[in-house]
DNA sequence: TTGAAAGCGCTAACAT
DNA sequence: ATGTTAGCGCTTTCAA
């Protein structure tokens, strides 16, 4: 069997309790012994036994605080599903989550939610937020307090964190372009890009990836327009219809957001041109239906369920001193076609 | 907290030991009490605590016997990686695996490996084998002895088992066809199908799926030929070259096996026709390279790593009385293009 | 600052 | 057939 606390205690000549305290950063152990024990644990390759730990400390459950902009968002329903899967797996290992949800991404609300979670005793966090100064400050603060924090789904650069779990937006754009390159073999691509907002980094990265891929493939193309649908169906439908009628040369539509897809679908149906190629992002119910009905040709998805699962797992790994806890988890980007949904 | 053995003991008026025995099917408990306790556990929603169980019975490790046709097979390297991932997760929960490998699929060897695993004390099995009578008999025998057995990767119909973990070959064919339909828009498809052997059910199912999808899409097509490459590079190269030269009208090549792909690549390079569309299966190193270099247009993969992981997890779930242990796990089929590998 | 010991849920060896 | 109990690895309270 592996090295246990008892082994360490015997080897270092102190009691089991002291070893446990030394390894768990309680600063009630003298620096000297603490250092010595940590050293020894390192050498002997001590790995804490999850079962023992779980059993012992199960009255003091390890609460993970989660904040999501998930109200009225089918995409986040899948993320939540993943979180629940993880929970089923880690609950009897002493973990539980406290979830706070908001509609939209307002940063003041996000910070308030984090504070509330801290107030109810969460000692680790999973945060899905927009990139802005207040949030970054808050994240640094959590880090300073020693709370491991996973950034979920939306990357936030330059902040202290345990790790990031989410997609590679630029790669998703590249993959979409690869596919279009195959489907529009040797034909010039006249692209209409649709984003929620030009301020949404992820959406714009998808567009950028799309373009860079076409360039590296030497596929002739022109960006006819990049338009904003505000992630709303009606707005998206209107701007798409307007642009399509003004630019009949458009032969590829790439919607780089999961929001407003129904609107795009409606516009494409109204338009009726079979030769127009359409690519979507994120596998939510409406997108699926559009692919099934050949309105959208394919969709690039990012496995939301896995993201939820992995975020929780990262926290679990952290507390069990598994080193990979500190490594980002980038989900696979998948192409899905009609055949996937039947 | 949840219901514990102690709770059940108190509620039923017997000792905690008796409850444990009743719930673990040791037939040293009278049918009457056993039944009563099981009933009670049901009612009160008792779920065994993994931590407690793991801790208690960790000297008597639960060995999982695994047989794979994995020697000299890069595809199975990924399956093994998944098994090891699972192991890392479940090792301190009292599980370990004993792996037996063979080169190829000979059924006598497979049965011998299973017997050896049983002899060294494995109480559960993960088997990857061909469908034949001897194997099916052996699987039924394991089932009769009460050993849970997961069928991995290659489906075996009509045998007793815990569940199947693997891909849906027919769906993979359909997905491949969906893509080709988009890429050969309104063009007639003249298909060359390449399989390892016409006796390999999975390969033929992929071809069948491919055809059925084209039909449901009303895409005009003709199967020029289905040829066997014996999963070997040289054979594959030869038969493909021969067929291509005899049938210049072929514009789509679908290789429904992960074996012999290099050979296909060589044949396509020799052939040099840029208009010919090629689709592969299974993401192994050579296939990846061919996609990167635009020799193969895309590949349909089946997540081997997840299969390995899930197979072990199913066994774990079974012993922890998680009901989903009995449900098949069908992995997602993914399309991968050049953009995935850069 | 440290040691001693109880107890988490469960299994298995031993006792009855 | 059933009860009793030690002990798995760990955290935490209580003493010293």
């Amino acid at each position: 069997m592996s090295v246990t606390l008892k082994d360490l205690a015997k080897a270092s000549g102190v009691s089991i309790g002291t070893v446990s305290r030394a390894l768990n950063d309680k600063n009630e152990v003298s620096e000297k012994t603490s250092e010595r024990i940590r050293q020894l644990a390192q050498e002997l390759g001590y790995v804490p036994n999850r079962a023992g730990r779980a059993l012992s400390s199960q009255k003091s459950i390890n609460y993970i605080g989660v904040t999501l902009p998930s109200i009225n968002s089918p995409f986040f329903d899948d993320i939540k599903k993943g979180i629940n899967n993880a929970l089923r797996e880690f609950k009897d290992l002493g973990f539980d989550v406290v979830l706070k949800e908001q509609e939209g991404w307002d940063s003041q609300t996000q910070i308030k939610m984090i504070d509330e979670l801290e107030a109810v005793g969460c000692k680790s966090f999973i945060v899905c937020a927009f990139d802005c100064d207040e949030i970054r400050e808050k994240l640094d603060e959590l880090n300073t307090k020693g709370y491991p924090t996973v950034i979920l789904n939306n990357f936030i650069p330059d902040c202290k964190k345990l790790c990031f779990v989410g997609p590679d937006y630029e790669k998703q754009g590249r993959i979409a372009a690869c596919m279009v390159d195959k489907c529009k073999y040797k034909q010039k691509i006249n692209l209409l890009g649709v984003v929620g907002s030009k301020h949404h980094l992820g959406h714009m990265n998808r567009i950028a990836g799309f373009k860079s891929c076409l360039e590296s493939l030497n596929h002739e193309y022109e960006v006819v327009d990049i338009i904003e649908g505000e992630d709303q169906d009606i707005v998206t439908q209107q701007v798409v219809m307007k642009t399509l009628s003004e630019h009949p040369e458009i032969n590829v539509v790439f919607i780089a957001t999961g929001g407003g897809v129904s609107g795009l679908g409606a516009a494409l149906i109204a338009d009726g041109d079979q030769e127009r190629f359409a690519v979507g992002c994120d596998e939510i119910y409406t997108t699926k239906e559009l692919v099934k009905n050949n309105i959208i040709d394919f969709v690039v998805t990012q496995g939301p369920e896995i993201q939820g699962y992995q975020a929780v797992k990262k926290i679990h790994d952290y507390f069990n001193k598994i080193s990979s806890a500190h490594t980002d988890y980038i989900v696979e980007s998948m192409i899905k076609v009609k055949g996937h949904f039947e």
Side-chain angles (χ1 to χ4, degrees), chain A residues 201-217:
Chain A
L201 197 65
H203 297 174
M204 293 314 281
N205 279 341
R206 280 173 173 157
I207 301 281
F210 196 97
K211 292 198 288 184
S212 89
C213 177
L214 288 183
E215 257 147 46
S216 78
L217 292 169

Side-chain angles (χ1 to χ4, degrees), chain A residues 28-286:
Chain A
E28 12 170 343
V29 179
S30 81
E31 192 47 51
K32 235 182 8 197
T33 31
S34 178
E35 180 50 37
R36 188 161 48 95
I37 291 169
R38 250 189 298 249
Q39 174 85 23
L40 201 65
Q42 185 75 280
E43 277 170 25
L44 270 55
Y46 169 75
V47 181
N49 178 301
R50 289 148 75 211
R53 164 174 295 195
L55 209 46
S56 162
S57 58
Q58 74 176 189
K59 331 103 174 284
S60 63
I61 290 168
N62 198 331
Y63 287 104
I64 306 170
V66 181
T67 70
L68 296 179
S70 48
I71 295 178
N72 288 326
S73 167
F75 175 79
F76 279 98
D77 284 346
D78 286 334
I79 291 215
K80 283 193 276 182
K81 213 182 288 174
I83 291 177
N84 285 326
N85 287 348
L87 206 51
R88 213 171 309 140
E89 191 160 329
F90 299 126
K91 194 149 198 168
D92 58 5
L93 262 26
F95 292 86
D96 207 346
V97 322
V98 187
L99 175 63
K100 293 263 178 198
E101 303 181 80
Q102 68 170 328
E103 181 158 10
W105 298 77
D106 173 66
S107 60
Q108 288 313 313
T109 315
Q110 279 169 341
I111 289 172
K112 194 167 141 259
M113 293 195 302
I114 294 175
D115 287 337
E116 287 168 7
L117 289 171
E118 198 185 338
V120 299
C122 292
K123 285 178 303 195
S124 60
F125 298 86
I126 295 172
V127 173
C128 180
F130 256 12
D131 174 27
C132 67
D133 286 341
E134 306 98 86
I135 292 285
R136 235 171 300 134
E137 262 169 47
K138 178 50 84 180
L139 293 174
D140 288 350
E141 181 192 321
L142 291 178
N143 185 269
T144 306
K145 290 184 183 163
Y147 299 140
T149 304
V150 173
I151 306 299
L152 180 60
N153 186 252
N154 197 281
F155 187 69
I156 300 179
D158 302 322
C159 67
K160 304 263 199 234
K161 54 175 171 286
L162 177 62
C163 67
F164 167 70
V165 172
D168 179 340
Y169 282 99
E170 217 232 317
K171 186 170 183 181
Q172 291 184 347
R174 290 206 306 272
I175 287 168
C178 267
M179 293 294 313
V180 175
D181 166 64
K182 301 280 180 205
C183 298
K184 291 286 174 188
Y185 183 63
K186 285 192 177 163
Q187 298 166 48
K188 181 182 172 196
I189 291 172
N190 295 304
L191 177 73
L192 170 61
V194 184
V195 296
S197 147
K198 289 188 184 172
H199 297 291
H200 189 301
L201 197 65
H203 297 174
M204 293 314 281
N205 279 341
R206 280 173 173 157
I207 301 281
F210 196 97
K211 292 198 288 184
S212 89
C213 177
L214 288 183
E215 257 147 46
S216 78
L217 292 169
N218 290 316
H219 197 126
E220 193 190 0
Y221 80 99
E222 184 185 322
V223 179
V224 177
D225 206 351
I226 307 289
I227 57 178
E228 298 175 299
E230 298 174 25
D231 282 336
Q232 289 172 36
D233 289 326
I234 297 169
V235 180
T236 306
Q237 178 173 0
Q238 285 169 343
V239 292
V240 171
M241 285 182 75
K242 181 157 172 293
T243 315
L244 286 184
S245 70
E246 283 168 5
H247 295 280
E249 76 273 23
I250 290 170
N251 60 353
V252 173
V253 180
F254 176 40
I255 179 162
T257 169
V261 196
S262 292
L264 173 73
L268 289 171
I269 291 168
D271 177 63
D273 183 348
Q274 290 284 326
E275 308 283 333
R276 238 167 224 156
F277 208 82
V279 181
C281 286
D282 296 338
E283 175 191 351
I284 56 178
Y285 178 75
T286 47

Side-chain angles (χ1 to χ4, degrees), chain A residues 13 54 74 334:
Chain A
M334 292 175 291

